[in-house]
Structure formats: C-alpha cells, structure tokens
Amino acid sequence: MTNGPDLFSSDGPDQGLPGPGVGGSSADSGRALDPLAVRMRPRTIAEVVGQDHLTFPGSPLVQLVEASGGDRAGASSVILWGPPGVGKTTLAHVISHAPGRTFVELSAITAGVKDVRQVIENARRERDMYQRTTVLFLDEIHRFSKAQQDALLPAVENRLVVLVAATTENPSFSVISPLLSRSLLLTLRPLDDAAIADLLDRAVVSERGLAGQFELEPAAKDFIVRIAGADARRSLTILEAAAGIAAAQAQFAKATAGDSTDADADADADADAEDEDEGDAEVDSEDSSDSEPRAILITEAACAEASSETVLRYDKNGDQHYDVVSAFIKSIRGSDVDAALHYLARMIVAGEDPRFIARRVVISAAEDIGMADPQALPIAVAASTAVQNIGMPEGRIPLAEAVTYLAMAPKSNASYRALDAAIADVKNGFSGQVPTHLRDAHYPGAKELGHGEGYKYSHDHPHGVAAQEYLPETLRGKRYYEPTGNGMERSLGERLEMLQRLLRP
C-alpha cells in the first residue's frame, strides 16, 4: 500500500532536475534516482498522449478526473485494459488528483484480502471524518483470485472506494463478472509512432527529463520508436540508458582531448610568453565560449548499445498468444504466404512451443485446404513429425515448408462442413435405423432377422458402384458433401455427380 509523496504534483521535488550524467544539487539527487519514465509521467489528462478515444472532452474518463466529492454523479470505478507501457498507471495517478480524494496504490502481486480490507476500513474513516473519497489503484488485478476480487465488491458497489484497476489480460477472462458490471471498462490502445516520438521530444527538453542537456539525433529517435514496440515506458528507458552512454562517452572524449591540450600547451609555453597580453585576450574569449554548455548528442549507436534487441510482446497464456495464432491461421486460410510466415516467425522468436505450432498447421491443412489439395495434410503431418524428431531451431525449416505449401494451396472446407452438417442432423434426432441390407449378418441368428438380405457387393457391379440405398430411410436423398470448384475438388465434383447417377439411377 502506497501513501508516500505524490510523484506527479506540480510542486513536487522534480523541478529543475538534471539529466543523467551531469551534475546537480544535493537537493535534487534523491529525485534523480527516479527513472526517467517516472519523472516524465503526465500529471494532467491533457498531457496524456495516444489515447484520444478516452480523453476527448466529456468522455467518461475526463468526467472521472474532473468529478469532485460533492457531485451527485460521483466517480465510477474503472478497469483499464491494455498492453504494457500505454498509460494505465499514469491515468490512475491523474484520476487521483481530483479534489477531495485520497490515493492508495496496491499491487495484486503482493497484496492480499487483508490489505484490501484495511484499505476499505481506512476509506470508510476518510469518508465519514473528512468527506474524502478514496481512489484505490490496483495494479495487475488479473492476478487476484476470485475470492480476493469478491472482497472488493461491497466497497465498489457503495462507492466507498473508487477502484481503478489495471490489467494486461482480457478482463472478460480475468475479472469476475460482478466486478465488471460495477465498473467501466476502458480499453487503452497501443501507442503509435507519432505518440512515442512526441514523448521522446518532451523528455529531451523537459526540466523533469533531460533538461535540454542532450540532443537526440533523428536516426536515434527513429531507432527508439521502432525498437520500443508501442511501449512508452520502454522508449523512455532506452532513451535514459542511451543518454547515460552518450554522457560517459562525451566525458571520456573530453578527458582525452584535455590531456592532448595540456601536452601541446607545455611544448608551446616559451613561444606564447612573447605575446602574453594578446594571448590573454584570446584565452578570455575562448573561456567565454566554453562556458556555454553544449548539448550531448545521443546517437543511434548509443541507443543500439542501450537496447541490444527488441523485446517481443507475446504472452503465451494471454491475448497476444491467441491473437497471433488467430492471425497465423487466418493468413494461411487467406492465402497470404508472407503474412503467414511473419506470424510463424513471431511465435518462434517468442518461444512458442513448436509442437503447438505444428498441431495448428495440421489442423489448418485439414480444415482450410481439405480435398482441394489432399497432399496438404500429409505435408503438414510430416512437418509435425519432423519437429518432434529434430527439435528446434532446425524444426523451423519443415514448419516453413509446410506453412508455405498450405498458404499457396487451393482452399476448401467442404469436407469438414459436410461432417458438421451430418453431426447436427444426428444431434437433432435425424439418425434413423440402419437399412436392413447393410446390417451385420455374421453373428448367429442375424440372417433370421433379415440382416444383410438384399445387400449388393459393390465390386460385382460396373465401376465398382452398386445402386442401393445407404442412408437411413429418414435421410433418403440427403446431400452433405458439396465440393467447391477449387483445386482438385473441381474434378471431384464431376466424379460425385457421376456417382450419384450410378447410386440412384
């Protein structure tokens, strides 16, 4: 539970804060330990970027920020859902700044029911004694169990606390329904490149950030925007680390240049002594020029050193897992081989179980290619077997071959749609009796029951097709399989029509 100093108030201790790698007063030294992402956190709703769909005038979020304790409408509890680094914690702190509010922060990772009940008890006391509303920011609420979330219900329903819950998981799966129904669900979108670039520009010039003591070259900014992956916190973390690297490199270069200058000065001391007066004037001019601090350039190379590689956003148990897999299958189905390979690469780089990928490839071969290219299924099965036999990273090679083949193959789902239609008929009671001539006649007494009587052996008839009824009487004439005109099914459709004429002359 957090009741410490407000890190976001305008009169906080972050004014005049020096950037990394440069000197500052001892009064600023404690605040300088805060990460750049914390120092640059927006204090007002107007400073929030990239969430225009939530921050427009009159929006529920703006009303929540501007609501005061005496308003009849009051403040509603909200659940902030979005990927990391898009501003969930920032919005919680902005909401807490409304007048007449006490802000309490809990993390579902470390807090329990006891902590929640203590907050609720304190909130009751704050409301009764001081007419103050308690804003409870609960980070990572999806980590709370059902029982822990249940403990919040009475306080949220009676508005004893205004709950601001943050989660990176889909609330439909991770938050209990009663709590969802008592809260507003606000979905935060990943930040676009322009929003990340704006944040970087602010951080370079702001007194809370690098205070204009650094200059970010355009190529470096483009690099951070690309590598951050729509994550504001990550972009500022890379910027801060790159600034530290640039400052250290500049200090080293200055020290090296200073040693060289001292050596040159000793060598030329006798010659300079003859023109002492004129030399003093020139030195004064140079000192005046050197006294103006020069901004340290943050280069793309420094940013690359600060961030060796991209951290791919992919949770094998969360939305990203299902979203990427869904896009992978739909790209194969849509015959976009490049998109299919892209999503395959994302799963491989993120460490997805290759056996899971192989299973999805096999399913796709049967579901989306089917009889339009019957060779697709053996290729997919072979790739799955290869992955299990050789493992990774070599297993990516047969996976790539199978995905390429499937994406470029003709598509048909006629086979499994036909089966689904037959299953629906069975479930709806359209089974009927097995025709007598098709029943088993091998066990004693079967022939006395008429089983097998009248059965025509197919191989004794032209084309190996015997004209007789195979479906139950209730489904006589029913057609399930309707081949498409794609790939091999074009010729299969012609054969099917021929078979129907032979079966039902």
Side-chain angles (χ1 to χ4, degrees), residues 365-376:
E367 177 181 354
D368 294 319
I369 288 85
M371 293 303 294
D373 186 351
Q375 188 64 23

PDB file of all heavy atoms in Angstrom, residues 365-376:
ATOM      1  N   ALA A 365      -4.365 -27.653 -42.398  1.00  0.00           N
ATOM      2  CA  ALA A 365      -4.327 -28.438 -43.637  1.00  0.00           C
ATOM      3  C   ALA A 365      -5.642 -29.167 -43.874  1.00  0.00           C
ATOM      4  O   ALA A 365      -6.151 -29.214 -45.006  1.00  0.00           O
ATOM      5  CB  ALA A 365      -3.168 -29.433 -43.586  1.00  0.00           C
ATOM      6  N   ALA A 366      -6.215 -29.733 -42.810  1.00  0.00           N
ATOM      7  CA  ALA A 366      -7.469 -30.473 -42.962  1.00  0.00           C
ATOM      8  C   ALA A 366      -8.670 -29.538 -43.036  1.00  0.00           C
ATOM      9  O   ALA A 366      -9.621 -29.801 -43.782  1.00  0.00           O
ATOM     10  CB  ALA A 366      -7.631 -31.438 -41.795  1.00  0.00           C
ATOM     11  N   GLU A 367      -8.624 -28.454 -42.272  1.00  0.00           N
ATOM     12  CA  GLU A 367      -9.791 -27.573 -42.170  1.00  0.00           C
ATOM     13  C   GLU A 367      -9.920 -26.636 -43.358  1.00  0.00           C
ATOM     14  O   GLU A 367     -11.029 -26.400 -43.864  1.00  0.00           O
ATOM     15  CB  GLU A 367      -9.689 -26.749 -40.884  1.00  0.00           C
ATOM     16  CG  GLU A 367     -10.821 -25.743 -40.698  1.00  0.00           C
ATOM     17  CD  GLU A 367     -10.670 -24.928 -39.431  1.00  0.00           C
ATOM     18  OE1 GLU A 367      -9.746 -25.212 -38.642  1.00  0.00           O
ATOM     19  OE2 GLU A 367     -11.464 -23.995 -39.234  1.00  0.00           O
ATOM     20  N   ASP A 368      -8.803 -26.060 -43.816  1.00  0.00           N
ATOM     21  CA  ASP A 368      -8.871 -24.990 -44.801  1.00  0.00           C
ATOM     22  C   ASP A 368      -8.443 -25.390 -46.201  1.00  0.00           C
ATOM     23  O   ASP A 368      -8.793 -24.718 -47.160  1.00  0.00           O
ATOM     24  CB  ASP A 368      -8.004 -23.811 -44.339  1.00  0.00           C
ATOM     25  CG  ASP A 368      -8.548 -23.155 -43.088  1.00  0.00           C
ATOM     26  OD1 ASP A 368      -9.772 -22.990 -42.995  1.00  0.00           O
ATOM     27  OD2 ASP A 368      -7.752 -22.826 -42.181  1.00  0.00           O
ATOM     28  N   ILE A 369      -7.673 -26.463 -46.342  1.00  0.00           N
ATOM     29  CA  ILE A 369      -7.274 -26.920 -47.674  1.00  0.00           C
ATOM     30  C   ILE A 369      -8.116 -28.127 -48.067  1.00  0.00           C
ATOM     31  O   ILE A 369      -8.701 -28.170 -49.140  1.00  0.00           O
ATOM     32  CB  ILE A 369      -5.771 -27.255 -47.744  1.00  0.00           C
ATOM     33  CG1 ILE A 369      -4.936 -25.977 -47.701  1.00  0.00           C
ATOM     34  CG2 ILE A 369      -5.439 -28.013 -49.014  1.00  0.00           C
ATOM     35  CD1 ILE A 369      -4.639 -25.433 -46.342  1.00  0.00           C
ATOM     36  N   GLY A 370      -8.179 -29.085 -47.167  1.00  0.00           N
ATOM     37  CA  GLY A 370      -9.074 -30.223 -47.373  1.00  0.00           C
ATOM     38  C   GLY A 370      -8.842 -30.937 -48.689  1.00  0.00           C
ATOM     39  O   GLY A 370      -7.708 -31.158 -49.116  1.00  0.00           O
ATOM     40  N   MET A 371      -9.951 -31.268 -49.365  1.00  0.00           N
ATOM     41  CA  MET A 371      -9.882 -32.051 -50.594  1.00  0.00           C
ATOM     42  C   MET A 371      -9.521 -31.204 -51.806  1.00  0.00           C
ATOM     43  O   MET A 371      -9.364 -31.741 -52.899  1.00  0.00           O
ATOM     44  CB  MET A 371     -11.219 -32.755 -50.833  1.00  0.00           C
ATOM     45  CG  MET A 371     -11.534 -33.832 -49.818  1.00  0.00           C
ATOM     46  SD  MET A 371     -10.244 -35.100 -49.741  1.00  0.00           S
ATOM     47  CE  MET A 371     -10.402 -35.831 -51.363  1.00  0.00           C
ATOM     48  N   ALA A 372      -9.360 -29.885 -51.625  1.00  0.00           N
ATOM     49  CA  ALA A 372      -8.877 -29.074 -52.748  1.00  0.00           C
ATOM     50  C   ALA A 372      -7.437 -29.438 -53.071  1.00  0.00           C
ATOM     51  O   ALA A 372      -6.989 -29.292 -54.216  1.00  0.00           O
ATOM     52  CB  ALA A 372      -8.986 -27.583 -52.411  1.00  0.00           C
ATOM     53  N   ASP A 373      -6.691 -29.911 -52.064  1.00  0.00           N
ATOM     54  CA  ASP A 373      -5.329 -30.418 -52.265  1.00  0.00           C
ATOM     55  C   ASP A 373      -5.057 -31.436 -51.168  1.00  0.00           C
ATOM     56  O   ASP A 373      -4.504 -31.099 -50.121  1.00  0.00           O
ATOM     57  CB  ASP A 373      -4.313 -29.280 -52.217  1.00  0.00           C
ATOM     58  CG  ASP A 373      -2.901 -29.753 -52.567  1.00  0.00           C
ATOM     59  OD1 ASP A 373      -2.696 -30.985 -52.675  1.00  0.00           O
ATOM     60  OD2 ASP A 373      -2.016 -28.913 -52.734  1.00  0.00           O
ATOM     61  N   PRO A 374      -5.435 -32.692 -51.376  1.00  0.00           N
ATOM     62  CA  PRO A 374      -5.260 -33.722 -50.336  1.00  0.00           C
ATOM     63  C   PRO A 374      -3.807 -33.928 -49.924  1.00  0.00           C
ATOM     64  O   PRO A 374      -3.544 -34.517 -48.875  1.00  0.00           O
ATOM     65  CB  PRO A 374      -5.835 -34.990 -50.999  1.00  0.00           C
ATOM     66  CG  PRO A 374      -6.730 -34.490 -52.080  1.00  0.00           C
ATOM     67  CD  PRO A 374      -6.110 -33.226 -52.572  1.00  0.00           C
ATOM     68  N   GLN A 375      -2.851 -33.436 -50.723  1.00  0.00           N
ATOM     69  CA  GLN A 375      -1.448 -33.590 -50.387  1.00  0.00           C
ATOM     70  C   GLN A 375      -1.043 -32.672 -49.226  1.00  0.00           C
ATOM     71  O   GLN A 375      -0.013 -32.885 -48.574  1.00  0.00           O
ATOM     72  CB  GLN A 375      -0.581 -33.286 -51.614  1.00  0.00           C
ATOM     73  CG  GLN A 375       0.891 -33.602 -51.453  1.00  0.00           C
ATOM     74  CD  GLN A 375       1.166 -35.089 -51.238  1.00  0.00           C
ATOM     75  OE1 GLN A 375       0.353 -35.940 -51.606  1.00  0.00           O
ATOM     76  NE2 GLN A 375       2.300 -35.400 -50.629  1.00  0.00           N
ATOM     77  N   ALA A 376      -1.852 -31.671 -48.920  1.00  0.00           N
ATOM     78  CA  ALA A 376      -1.517 -30.713 -47.868  1.00  0.00           C
ATOM     79  C   ALA A 376      -1.436 -31.379 -46.498  1.00  0.00           C
ATOM     80  O   ALA A 376      -0.538 -31.075 -45.699  1.00  0.00           O
ATOM     81  CB  ALA A 376      -2.543 -29.578 -47.845  1.00  0.00           C
TER      82      ALA A 376
END
